[in-house]
Every structure is written in structure tokens, then in C-alpha cells.
DNA sequence: TCCCATGTGTAGTTCAGCTATACATAGGGC
DNA sequence: GCCCTATGTATAGCTGAACTACACATGGGA
């Protein structure tokens, strides 16, 4: 997940990925990074310089809210979805599916010519 | 297809869309724009200021080649895929499907909660 | 002691899609 | 004749998000 094609793919869907990871329970930055890496089998490995500014942006947009936890040696900033964040997640998920279908329409004639992926 | 979410989605997949439109036969800029608009039911409406620089970039990367047609009153620049362009189309289509599956994994727990789209 | 994983953060670069603008032709309505 | 729209290509400059590179700190294993 390091070439420019996939970097640009991220650009459109990274907000959606992070919001979906936060859908069920609060998480902190590092755990979000790990979960996305695990779910994607290592194909999506967010850099810290990508993730933290993103979280700050989502928070300033009031889609997530944060709370520091200093109870352990490791300071962690926990994030959870706001009401607006849940709404955004739903709408972006719908748009994502709509868009994927769009591209699918264009690729359908190409597909039969594609050799089976390993 | 005008908000910032979809603008960023485009960024990752626009090359793929244009290459796929050119897969079967040569086309010129305006016809590419129309075909993408039609296939997407108007959801993806490329601006001229997006399409033409993109075509120039694809050509400078030698993924497509062009030929002017001045035989009619309307000057048209026809584009067709090069060998490298066909290869790029195949590889990007594979990456696209892989990436879509990735996001799908993350969204799967969300899906049952999504109200049916109209 | 050293190194790595953990944990958060910022400064500056890159680059693609955007807006705005420019130019030109064909054809229909007034 | 004139205007407006669709057609057709093109460039200059703006914006914004993911990137690289760096900074700082703790915990635990070798």
C-alpha cells in the first residue's frame, strides 16, 4: 500500500475508514492505526503524520470528540463518534457504495479479460 | 458528485476510469467526459479543467497516445491506450478491487445498521 | 544499556482535482 | 443578424489531504 495509486485511493476513503473503526467503541490513535492495518492484512498502514492530523481535523469538524487518559504511563487520547459523526459515517458509507458501483459499471467490460489474481 | 468527499474519491480512481473508457476503442476528450457522465447517471461529471490536464499527464506517462483530427470543423484529439496503458489498466483494476474489499471488511459491521438507500 | 514497540505531535512538500478563464465552431431560437 | 447553448480543447492559479521527516516520551525485552 505504498505506491501513488493507493495513496490517492486513501485520500477519498480515509475519513470513512477511521469513522467506521470508531463506530462501535472509543479508540485511541495507535489502536485505530493497528486495527486498520490488521483488517487490511497490512495493505493499509497509516503513517502517524497522516493519522493524527486527520483525527484533529475530524475533531475540529465535531465528528469525533476526545478525552485524555493519563492513568497509565502511556498517555492515550481516546476518541469517540459524536452524533454528527455517526450521521457522517452513514452518509459516507452510502456514497462509497454508490461510487463503487459506478466504477464497477465501467470496469465490467474489462473484468472478463482480467487474469485471476493470485 | 460535487462535494468534497466525492472530489477526493475521484482522486484515487480517475485514472482508472479514463483508462477503462479507452479500453475498447479510441475516444476524444469530450466523448470520454460524456461517457463517464452517462455511465454514472450524472453522478460523475468531470470538469474540463480536470480532464484535459489528466489526459496530458497520462500521455506524458506514455499510457495513452494522441492524434489530432482536423477533418471536420470541430478539432478533436483522439486518444488510445498504449501497451503500457493496457497493463496499467489491468493492474489498477486489480488494486481497485482489492482496496474495495478492504473497505468492505471495515464497513461490514456497519452495513446492517444502514437504512436502505432510496 | 540498547533497541523496539508504543504513543502523540508538528512543519513543510507534493500533487491532483478544482475554479476561472480563454478561444473557437455548429446549430437553433428570436 | 444576434444570442445562447452544446461542442471541443487548453492553461494558470488555488486548495487541501496524505506524505516525509522530525521531535519527544514511556515500557519491556534482549
Amino acid at each position: 500500500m505504498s505506491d501513488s495509486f493507493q495513496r490517492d485511493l486513501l485520500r477519498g476513503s480515509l475519513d470513512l475508514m477511521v469513522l467506521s473503526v470508531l463506530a462501535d467503541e472509543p479508540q485511541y490513535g495507535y489502536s485505530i492505526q493497528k486495527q486498520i492495518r490488521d483488517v487490511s492484512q497490512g495493505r493499509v498502514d497509516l503513517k502517524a503524520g497522516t493519522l493524527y492530523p486527520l483525527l484533529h481535523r475530524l475533531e475540529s469538524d465535531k465528528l469525533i470528540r476526545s478525552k485524555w487518559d493519563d492513568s497509565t504511563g502511556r498517555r492515550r487520547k481516546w476518541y469517540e463518534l459524536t452524533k454528527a459523526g455517526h450521521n457522517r459515517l452513514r452518509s459516507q458509507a452510502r456514497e462509497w457504495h454508490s461510487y463503487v458501483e459506478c466504477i464497477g459499471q465501467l470496469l465490467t467490460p474489462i473484468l472478463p479479460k482480467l487474469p485471476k489474481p493470485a
Side-chain angles (χ1 to χ4, degrees), chain A:
Chain A
M1 216 24 121
S2 57
D3 67 24
S4 63
F5 177 57
Q6 287 168 324
R7 182 188 315 150
D8 286 337
L9 283 182
L10 262 190
R11 180 150 177 157
S13 49
L14 189 46
D15 286 19
L16 175 59
M17 293 181 74
V18 170
L19 292 175
S20 69
V21 164
L22 290 173
D24 288 329
E25 50 184 5
Q27 298 210 41
Y28 54 95
Y30 199 79
S31 70
I32 295 171
Q33 182 187 22
K34 273 207 311 183
Q35 186 168 336
I36 289 179
R37 189 170 53 232
D38 291 346
V39 169
S40 69
Q41 281 111 38
R43 286 176 299 183
V44 181
D45 191 6
L46 301 184
K47 316 304 178 199
T50 297
L51 180 59
Y52 293 106
L54 164 68
L55 289 170
H56 301 159
R57 179 168 54 79
L58 291 177
E59 185 168 24
S60 80
D61 289 345
K62 305 207 183 299
L63 299 173
I64 59 180
R65 72 174 71 87
S66 66
K67 195 172 52 180
W68 277 106
D69 173 19
D70 297 296
S71 65
T72 66
R74 304 224 186 267
R75 292 179 77 237
R76 288 168 174 165
K77 201 172 181 180
W78 291 81
Y79 291 95
E80 62 178 352
L81 291 188
T82 62
K83 183 78 177 170
H86 282 286
N87 291 338
R88 177 68 61 90
L89 171 57
R90 279 192 297 272
S91 67
Q92 286 209 352
R94 276 194 298 268
E95 288 188 62
W96 169 257
H97 284 289
S98 164
Y99 190 71
V100 166
E101 269 186 47
C102 237
I103 305 280
Q105 286 290 316
L106 282 169
L107 289 183
T108 298
I110 319 288
L111 290 181
K113 304 172 191 164
L114 276 181
K116 292 245 172 41

